[in-house]
């Protein structure tokens, strides 16, 4: 097969392709009947579990009580019966290793009974603990080979569910993945720990404000998932997309996103059919997906669920990512979750909407109906202000991946500098308190007095500032720097733990000031807020986060860190202040943090090494041959013309030849750079790859892309940006 067939045949295949309609119709099955039908949820448990067992499990789920192991047999049995009635033959402990992906190991329910028959078996101990042969998952030195076992532990708080396949179904049990010493090897374990930490600290605050009911405070997440869809034929004609998740070459399309005609535009029929199929599957799994729309870039879309408790929202987001990918295949497309599949075109993020809530209070970031609630609201916001400032490097580190670096700070996504957007109203209140003045009425009449008599605050944050990495949006904060491809667990672990720390700091201060005298609460609140604003107020910024002026001001005047790349950011996970924070709340040990730093740096390095190898290979095997063929044609034409004495300009030939020569030189340079890669530690390697290899790859790309602009179209074998983005 000649090289150019890959692109041309992709186009032919797409032209002849009839996209399938969604394989079901919402007209036949109502979404309400569908929702959660494959989930071992509360209703199923109530129906099928002995009352005592049901109550005990509920207590663990709702109040965080320690799981009573004696109930496991009963639950396992009910789960098995339920799953087998739904056609399941196997069960799997689903876990979330540090690769960021979802992992599963399948076991059959059937066991031989010794008489030539098989019986269905699933006992409590199989439910509670599994031992996948998972020694090849990254562990950053936590597991020496002789103790390479990792265990999965049943997470009662995230419901089991059934996954359907064309050839059968199986029961999925969400689990934590830990070493035999109990060290976290996954993304879930620290999240469960961080949830406990923030609950405890938040309750201290609620108690100071008069609520000592001990009701659990939970953190919630609503992740808005962005993604690209392209036809699968194009995907398979682009080795870079397949292997690296992003295009390493590609000239800018004539039509990009400048016209903004895609955003919220009508969803193409093929895509709509895909989306409905995705929703159909996710409804069955009890994932409350709610919104779907086109995004800014051509070929880019978003799916967002209604927010849920953090642990469940995290598992559900993993299901969303898996489902998007598998359903895309069914519809003849590939779903790209990479943060920047196409240079120069908007990338994909995952806005993490975050709140803390408690039954009876709703969101603790919701301005209240009366003065006490408002003061409490301000205290929770103050905790966020202190946290984001004090731990801004950590927040940058938990969104650091090789792929997200291409998006952050690229004038479409928040900058790598962390700041908080509060909106004008809320900022004014905080400034007034800092100045020692009571907030005065504004033209809207919302704010009248000091904390002690604050009237209802405006619920709407006003302008929706899209350039802020951490924005208050009325009743929650939106962390916008998270990458589309990442698990949302890491960011939530960090946010919950830093807020726990700030709430404890505030509780200590309030208690010390009041000395047991409740009447001093308002003065104490004012003082704590003033102190926090004096020390951490420079993190508040309501302006344009994309502007150069802000970058200058943030770093030079406000002293905010600007960790531009993941190579700078990831090592922060092991910094003394971060170790102190996480060990204080028993969310991570130092060893666990060090292992994560190492794993994330290794992943960063691996991503760039893979990309560099692909750049070299594609330049040599895809771009060079096409350009040389064109060069040959041009040279022959010139020679022929010369023989018959017709003047013919050699400009194009010279241009192609120059660009080819430059590209070759750049490839040689890149190869040299990769050969000289240091081997004295992952951190040095990361810095080197970031500062040396990435620019050298761009150099190759520069010439390759400029060749794409001149080489005959029929000789160019990689599908172009406009084809991939616009042909559906
Ligand atoms: P926008 O694009 O304007 O930010 P979306 O509706 O796309 O809005 O997404 C908002 C997300 O925020 C949804 O997932 C929504 O459920 C979630 N959300 C709303 N309220 C809260 C809250 N109190 N805590 C956490 N997430 C929330
Ligand atoms: Mg949003």
């Amino acid at each position: 097969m000649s090289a150019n067939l890959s692109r041309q045949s992709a186009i032919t295949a797409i032209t002849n392709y009839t996209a399938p309609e969604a394989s079901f119709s919402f007209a036949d099955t109502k979404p309400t009947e569908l929702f959660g039908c494959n989930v071992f949820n509360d209703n199923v448990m109530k129906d099928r579990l002995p009352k005592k067992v049901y109550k005990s499990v509920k207590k663990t789920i709702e109040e965080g009580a320690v799981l009573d192991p004696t109930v496991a047999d009963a639950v396992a049995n009910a789960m098995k019966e339920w799953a087998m009635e739904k056609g399941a033959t196997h069960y799997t402990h689903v876990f979330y290793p540090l690769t960021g992906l979802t992992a599963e190991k399948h076991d059959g329910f059937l066991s031989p009974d010794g008489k030539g028959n098989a019986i269905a078996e699933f006992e409590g101990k199989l439910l509670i603990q599994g031992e996948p042969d998972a020694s090849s998952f990254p562990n950053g030195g936590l597991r020496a080979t002789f103790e390479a076992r990792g265990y999965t532990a049943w997470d009662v708080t995230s419901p089991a569910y059934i996954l359907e396949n064309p050839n059968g179904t199986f029961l999925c049990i969400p689990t934590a993945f830990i070493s035999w010493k109990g060290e976290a090897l996954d993304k879930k374990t620290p999240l469960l720990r961080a949830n406990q930490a923030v609950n405890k600290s938040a309750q201290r605050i609620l108690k100071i404000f008069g609520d000592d009911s001990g009701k659990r405070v939970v953190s919630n997440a609503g992740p808005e998932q962005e993604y690209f869809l392209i036809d699968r034929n194009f995907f398979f004609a682009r080795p870079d997309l397949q292997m690296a998740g992003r295009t390493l070459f590609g000239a800018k399309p004539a039509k990009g996103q400048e016209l903004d005609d895609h955003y919220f535009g009508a969803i193409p029929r093929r895509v709509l059919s895909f989306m409905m199929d995705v929703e159909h599957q996710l409804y069955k799994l009890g994932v409350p997906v709610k919104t779907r729309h086109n995004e800014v870039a051509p070929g880019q879309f978003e799916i967002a669920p209604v927010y849920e408790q953090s642990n469940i929202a995290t598992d559900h987001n993993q299901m969303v990512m898996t489902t998007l990918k598998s359903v895309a295949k069914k519809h003849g497309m590939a779903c790209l979750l990479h943060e920047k599949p196409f240079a120069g075109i908007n990338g994909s993020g995952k806005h993490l909407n975050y709140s803390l809530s408690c039954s009876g209070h709703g969101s603790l970031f919701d301005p209240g109906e009366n003065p006490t609630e408002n003061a409490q609201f301000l205290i929770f916001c103050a905790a966020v202000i202190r946290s984001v400032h004090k731990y801004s490097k950590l927040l940058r580190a938990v969104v650091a991946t090789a792929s997200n670096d291409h998006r952050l700070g690229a004038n479409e996504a928040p900058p790598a500098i962390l700041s908080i957007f509060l909106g004008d109203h809320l900022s004014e209140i905080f400034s007034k308190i800092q100045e020692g003045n009571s907030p005065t009425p504004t033209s809207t009449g919302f704010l009248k007095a000091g904390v002690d008599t604050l009237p209802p605050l405006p619920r709407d944050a006003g302008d929706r500032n899209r350039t802020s990495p951490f924005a208050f949006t009325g009743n929650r904060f939106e962390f916008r720097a998270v990458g589309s491809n990442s698990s949302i667990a890491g960011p939530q672990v960090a946010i919950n733990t830093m807020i726990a720390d700030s709430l404890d700091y505030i509780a200590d201060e309030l208690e010390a000031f009041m000395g047991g005298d409740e009447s001093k609460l308002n003065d104490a609140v004012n003082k704590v807020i003033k102190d926090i604003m004096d020390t951490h107020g420079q993190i508040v910024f309501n302006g344009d986060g994309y502007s150069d002026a802000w970058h200058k001001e943030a770093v030079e005047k406000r002293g905010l860190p600007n960790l531009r790349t993941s190579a700078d950011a990831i090592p922060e996970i092991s910094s003394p202040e971060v170790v102190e924070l996480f060990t204080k709340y028993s969310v991570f040990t130092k060893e666990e943090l060090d292992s994560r730093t190492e794993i994330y740096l290794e992943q960063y390095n691996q991503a760039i090494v893979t990309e560099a190898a692909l750049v070299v290979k594609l330049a040599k095997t895809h771009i060079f041959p096409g350009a040389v063929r064109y060069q040959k044609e041009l040279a022959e034409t010139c020679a022929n013309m010369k023989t018959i004495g017709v003047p013919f300009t050699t400009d194009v030939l010279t241009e192609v030849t120059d660009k080819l020569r430059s590209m070759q030189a750049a490839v040689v340079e890149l190869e040299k750079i990769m050969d000289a890669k240091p081997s004295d530690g992952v951190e040095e390697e990361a810095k080197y790859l970031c500062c040396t290899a990435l620019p050298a790859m761009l150099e190759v790309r520069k010439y390759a892309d400029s060749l794409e602009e001149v080489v005959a179209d029929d000789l160019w074998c990689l599908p172009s940006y406009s084809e991939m983005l616009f042909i559906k």
Side-chain angles (χ1 to χ4, degrees), residues 220-224 263-264 290-291 293 295 302 304-308 351-356 363 464 466 473 475-478 480:
N220 308 294
E224 299 164 52
Y263 194 41
F264 278 92
K290 192 165 166 70
T291 54
H293 60 77
E295 260 303 325
E302 180 184 298
V306 175
Y307 71 94
E308 299 176 282
H351 292 177
L352 175 63
N353 292 270
Y354 170 90
S355 68
L356 291 172
S363 170
R464 299 288 307 270
R466 296 253 158 206
T473 51
N475 64 351
R476 62 188 186 269
F477 283 87
E478 193 169 321
R480 302 208 179 102

Side-chain angles (χ1 to χ4, degrees), residues 19 45 82 106 136 199 365 372 384 388 407 419 432 559 563:
M45 287 198 290
W82 172 77
H106 294 217
S136 51
N199 167 40
F365 299 124
T372 320
V384 175
V388 175
R407 171 181 162 261
S419 64
K432 285 267 153 77
L563 300 172

Side-chain angles (χ1 to χ4, degrees), residues 562-580:
N562 182 9
L563 300 172
R564 282 187 39 256
T565 71
S566 296
D568 302 323
I570 296 171
E572 293 298 329
I573 295 173
S574 284
S575 73
E577 54 178 15
V578 170
V579 172
E580 193 189 321

